[in-house]
Amino acid sequence: MGEWFVSRNAWQVMTAGTAYFAVLYFATALAALWLTRVALPRIGFGRTLDPRELPADQYRREIAQACVSILIFGAGVVFPWAILKLGWASLTPDPSAVRVAAEVAALFLWNELHFYACHRLLHTRVLRRFHADHHRSHVPTPFSTYAFHPVEALLLGSVPLVPMLLHDFSFEALLCLPVLSILLNVLGHANYELSRSAPARGLLGASRRHALHHARYHGNYGFLLPVFDRLSGTQIDGDAATHR
Ligand SMILES: [Zn+2]
Ligand SMILES: [Zn+2]
């Protein structure tokens, strides 16, 4: 699989990358929308977090912005491809399942740290204008996941480069990174808490934490793990917005 990737030309890599991110975005957004607006409310599991109505054009705007991000992420696959071509990084052929799992776990932790650092930067005076597009969604939706300014897309899309320069990952683990990332992202933007009682604690609390970030702007800059916000004192009280 890795050999196939490296042997493609730049256009093929960018086209395949764009298709991959498009499928991930639309499949996860539509599945999350159905789960949190139809299936789970029907069986009485979980709850909507922010009950405010969405502006009429929010879905259309988010999807339009996300299409640009998908093109940037897709075209950006040329960078991991280029560093492999140049010999600055290598892929591990025929990895064991244990190795792939360990690499996915390492990439997950890196993704959390990378997102937190980028997100803090995006809230600084210099970069906040590029993050304003994402914050136009005061109430997040499953379509908010990739709805941001191209500069933010470039920043967040750089996530695999440093790990690839430091370690010979398997292609399978690298392929899992966008899947993992969009799943966590859609959890954070679902505006729906997946727990029996409120507020959800721990990892499932990510939905409430990120909904609060969209509602209040300051604080809760992390992705899934609350640890970086806890360490930096940027955590918003989880009980701050309990609607029922
Ligand atoms: Zn933000
Ligand atoms: Zn967000």
Side-chain angles (χ1 to χ4, degrees), residues 115 119 131 134-135 137 140 144-145 152 185 188-189 210 213-214:
F115 179 80
H119 198 187
H131 192 42
H134 185 64
H135 276 281
S137 303
S144 311
T145 52
E152 182 166 350
N185 213 329
H189 290 98
H210 201 68
H213 177 69
H214 276 262

Side-chain angles (χ1 to χ4, degrees), residues 5-88:
F5 177 72
V6 178
S7 66
R8 299 298 97 184
N9 67 39
W11 289 110
Q12 289 171 325
V13 162
M14 290 193 282
T15 307
T18 303
Y20 190 54
F21 283 104
V23 168
L24 287 180
Y25 175 73
F26 286 104
T28 54
L30 291 170
L33 207 63
W34 175 77
L35 261 178
T36 59
R37 308 311 191 254
V38 181
L40 295 177
R42 193 176 288 163
I43 60 168
F45 184 83
R47 64 211 62 84
T48 299
L49 289 165
D50 193 328
R52 288 177 290 173
E53 273 204 23
L54 300 180
D57 68 337
Q58 181 163 331
Y59 284 127
R60 193 185 52 77
R61 174 186 57 77
E62 287 179 339
I63 291 168
Q65 287 180 318
C67 286
V68 178
S69 302
I70 286 166
L71 287 175
I72 291 171
F73 289 155
V77 175
V78 81
F79 290 104
W81 173 83
I83 62 174
L84 291 168
K85 280 284 211 202
L86 291 167
W88 298 357

Side-chain angles (χ1 to χ4, degrees), residues 63-202:
I63 291 168
Q65 287 180 318
C67 286
V68 178
S69 302
I70 286 166
L71 287 175
I72 291 171
F73 289 155
V77 175
V78 81
F79 290 104
W81 173 83
I83 62 174
L84 291 168
K85 280 284 211 202
L86 291 167
W88 298 357
S90 305
L91 296 172
T92 295
D94 303 320
S96 67
V98 173
R99 184 184 174 115
V100 174
E103 288 178 348
V104 170
L107 287 171
F108 161 73
L109 292 175
W110 166 250
N111 191 49
E112 290 289 316
L113 180 62
H114 179 267
F115 179 80
Y116 185 80
C118 289
H119 198 187
R120 287 302 298 267
L121 282 175
L122 287 161
H123 275 259
T124 59
R125 195 183 296 267
V126 179
L127 294 181
R128 73 171 62 140
R129 64 180 181 276
F130 300 120
H131 192 42
D133 277 357
H134 185 64
H135 276 281
R136 284 175 69 188
S137 303
H138 297 295
V139 178
T141 80
F143 288 102
S144 311
T145 52
Y146 285 173
F148 27 61
H149 189 280
V151 169
E152 182 166 350
L154 280 171
L155 207 56
L156 297 179
S158 68
V159 63
L161 298 178
V162 169
M164 283 181 71
L165 294 171
L166 298 176
H167 173 76
D168 293 348
F169 280 90
S170 59
F171 187 68
E172 290 79 354
L174 292 171
L175 213 52
C176 283
L177 178 58
V179 180
L180 193 64
S181 177
I182 189 81
L183 288 176
L184 305 181
N185 213 329
V186 88
L187 178 74
H189 290 98
N191 191 30
Y192 197 88
E193 194 163 47
L194 297 166
S195 64
R196 211 160 280 284
S197 59
R201 302 287 176 195

